[in-house]
Each structure stands twice: as C-alpha cells, then as structure tokens.
Amino acid sequence: MTATMPDLEQQFEQTIERDQRIEPRDWVPEAYRTTMIRMIAQHAHSEIIGMQPEGNWITRAPSLRRKAILLAKVQDEAGHGLYLYSAAETLGADRGELTAKLIAGKQKYSSIFNYPTLTFADVGVIGWLVDGAAICNQVPLCRSSYGPYARAMIRICKEESFHQRQGYELLMTMMRGTEEQRRMVQDATNRWWWPSLMMFGPPDADSSHTAQSMAWKVKRHTNDELRQRFVDMTVPQAEALGVTLPDPHLRWNAEREHYDFGDIDWSEFKQVVSGNGPCNAQRIAHRRKAHEDGAWVREAAAAHAAKLRERTA
Ligand SMILES: [Fe+2]
Ligand SMILES: [Fe+2]
C-alpha cells in the first residue's frame, strides 16, 4: 500500500513531536524544505564570507605562533562552510546555485562580517565575541530537527569553542602587554560589541521566521533568549579581561537574574543587512573573484569525473 499525503504529513508531525530527527529520505512539507535550505545556506555563506575579515590578518600576524593559530581557525571556517553546503544538498539544493545566489546578493550571510578588521586586536575580539555569539546560537542547533544539520553542528561547535578560546587567550596576552595594546583591545571591543548582539537577529516581536522554526524544532530558543544568554555569559568574561563593554545601561538585575542592557540600534542592523554596511560590496566582490578564479578547477574536476565515468562504462 502506498502512503497517502495525510499519512506522510502525520509521520512528519510525529517525528517532530517525538523529538526524533528528520532524515534526507523522509517526506517533508515543502515549506520545511525551503526553510531549512534558506537557514543552512545562510549559515554556510556566513562561514565562507567570515573567512575574509580575519584572513586579512594572516600575512600580518605578529608571530609564527599567532599566524599558525589564525590560519587553522580560518581553515576551520572553510570546513564549516563545506559541511553545511553538503547538508543543504541533502535537501535537494545545488551548491553551485547557492554560491551563484550569494554573489548575486540574493541570499544573505551574517551581517557581522560586513565590518572591517582594523587592528590585530580585532582577531582576538572576533574569536571572543563573534565566535562566542555563534556558539550561543549553534549549541541548541545540535538538537535541530533536521538530522544532517544537527550532526554537522556538533562538530562545528567543537571547533567554535576552540575559536573562542584562542581569541580570549590572545586578548588576555594583549591586556598583559603595553598600554597601547590594552587600548587596541578596548577599541576593538567598542566596535564589535553591538554588532555581536545584532548577530542573534531582530527582536522576537519583529522576527518573521521564529514561530514556525520553533514549532518545527529547527530553532530551540528565540533570538532574544539567545541574546540574553550571550550577554549574561560575556559580562563576567569582560570583567576578567579588564575591558569595559560600551553600554552604560549594562547592569545586573537581581529580580530577573539577568543583565539588563541598552537598546540596540536596529536601523544600523537594517542598513547592514540590506547591503549598506561598511564592507558589503568588498566582501561580495572578493567572493565573486575567488569563484571566477576557481572556474578552471571546477572545469578540470568535472572533466576528470566524466573521463572516469566513461572508463567504467
Ligand atoms: Fe565556523
Ligand atoms: Fe568560528
């Protein structure tokens, strides 16, 4: 007997209900498929574009040790992008098409990577705050209802925690250094703090995708919950480091048992997301050039694969 639509839908609902994973062979509603592809592609693009701001410092790292650490970190991000494109392919997406959409500006990546890295302290602050925020976002995604995404996220999170620690360790070292180094760390913290809070996306009241994503257990917490968790985690780290977070409204609220914080400038977020951030054009131009420069590699790989197929046939 063949399964009817209502059967399939019921099976899907039950899988979600029982907290089991949806796998590539399972039937899914079209809206679930599109949501997952959109989410995974945006995540993959963020990993790949995210290599640029820090990659900018590889040739200028202050020591061999720092260069090796940074190189490994940026390479990890490339790996994350590749796992995620593979996860998107299990839903029927085409990697080439996803890249084409990215460089045509039709798919998004995290707005954080549209800010410039002005000094080497930015490398440390990105590890601490940007990878720290990514961890807050991604740890719950290890329990996402889509199996390939959840499993990719487990491995990615392990590497992200290394990224956060290397950033924090770099900042600790700089804070023990000269007055000038401490000033660089404070300046980088001032520039990256608010954009890091924006990484969690718009406030819950304005988030169009949250309700459905929560119902499908694709997302496990709302944007505001995760943002609060990040603030609560980061304030003691800033204190230990000896830097000031640039928010005069930041204070412990004993009643809520959370830190209160100031209002986020959502107009800046909207500007950056819609393409008008300080580095949007540069990031896309760089990605497009890398894609064009790699055309011969893709052609050669395809020709080789065709030859192998011919030989076995
Ligand atoms: Fe990553
Ligand atoms: Fe990372």
Side-chain angles (χ1 to χ4, degrees):
M1 207 178 87
T2 51
T4 61
M5 270 309 257
D7 286 344
L8 292 169
E9 258 180 60
Q10 204 180 8
Q11 249 171 42
F12 171 80
E13 298 294 343
Q14 276 173 359
T15 307
I16 304 275
E17 179 86 12
R18 292 178 188 141
D19 250 332
Q20 290 165 340
R21 299 284 166 266
I22 304 287
E23 295 299 337
R25 275 169 299 183
D26 295 341
W27 179 91
V28 296
E30 211 35 47
Y32 180 89
R33 182 185 306 280
T34 358
T35 297
M36 283 319 300
I37 292 177
R38 177 182 53 78
M39 209 173 144
I40 299 174
Q42 187 169 327
H43 190 167
H45 297 330
S46 302
E47 301 283 357
I48 297 297
I49 296 285
M51 296 165 74
Q52 291 184 38
E54 290 176 284
N56 180 36
W57 282 96
I58 290 173
T59 55
R60 294 175 289 161
S63 68
L64 180 60
R65 178 169 174 268
R66 292 292 171 200
K67 190 194 286 264
I69 294 171
L70 184 56
L71 203 54
K73 196 238 176 194
V74 172
Q75 240 167 20
D76 282 354
E77 307 299 7
H80 298 172
L82 298 182
Y83 301 149
L84 290 165
Y85 285 126
S86 299
E89 284 184 324
T90 65
L91 289 155
D94 178 87
R95 187 182 300 227
E97 275 168 29
L98 296 179
T99 300
K101 281 183 185 159
L102 168 67
I103 56 187
K106 288 184 186 148
Q107 269 179 349
K108 287 183 198 146
Y109 55 90
S110 178
S111 60
I112 193 80
F113 301 117
N114 292 311
Y115 292 87
T117 41
L118 302 182
T119 73
F120 199 72
D122 290 44
V123 169
V125 171
I126 287 177
W128 174 37
L129 297 180
V130 177
D131 290 276
I135 292 169
C136 278
N137 256 329
Q138 290 170 16
V139 165
L141 292 175
C142 297
R143 296 187 299 123
S144 161
S145 60
Y146 190 58
Y149 190 40
R151 288 188 291 273
M153 216 43 65
I154 292 171
R155 178 147 176 198
I156 288 175
C157 282
K158 286 182 184 161
E159 294 180 343
E160 296 302 356
S161 62
F162 153 71
H163 298 169
Q164 206 225 3
R165 288 178 59 168
Q166 66 80 35
Y168 198 71
E169 189 267 343
L170 166 58
L171 297 178
M172 273 293 187
T173 307
M174 291 186 77
M175 291 304 282
R176 284 194 299 261
T178 63
E179 199 45 55
E180 172 70 4
Q181 285 176 306
R182 279 189 285 279
R183 201 194 52 74
M184 281 165 68
V185 174
Q186 184 60 59
D187 169 64
T189 305
N190 293 347
R191 286 181 289 105
W192 289 94
W193 173 247
W194 291 104
S196 300
L197 294 188
M198 295 173 196
M199 281 175 72
F200 297 91
D204 295 347
D206 304 338
S207 175
S208 48
H209 300 302
T210 296
Q212 181 62 78
S213 299
M214 299 271 287
W216 279 331
K217 298 185 181 173
V218 166
K219 270 176 82 163
R220 298 288 187 152
H221 307 280
T222 70
N223 296 351
D224 287 333
E225 282 166 12
L226 293 168
R227 190 166 12 245
Q228 182 70 62
R229 189 178 289 189
F230 174 69
V231 171
D232 291 348
M233 180 183 98
T234 308
V235 172
Q237 294 172 352
E239 282 164 6
L241 202 54
V243 295
T244 309
L245 296 172
D247 179 358
H249 300 288
L250 196 62
R251 68 177 59 86
W252 180 251
N253 183 326
E255 212 171 291
R256 291 201 310 125
E257 299 201 318
H258 289 293
Y259 283 93
D260 289 337
F261 53 96
D263 292 332
I264 294 170
D265 181 0
W266 291 111
S267 64
E268 175 183 325
F269 177 74
K270 281 180 194 134
Q271 278 298 311
V272 178
V273 166
S274 58
N276 303 316
C279 300
N280 298 57
Q282 181 191 336
R283 299 293 183 237
I284 291 295
H286 188 92
R287 183 68 194 88
R288 179 177 296 124
K289 185 177 183 306
H291 187 66
E292 286 164 1
D293 289 349
W296 71 271
V297 180
R298 292 188 296 278
E299 274 163 31
H304 180 67
K307 212 183 278 176
L308 282 186
R309 266 197 309 276
E310 220 170 87
R311 231 176 266 161
T312 44

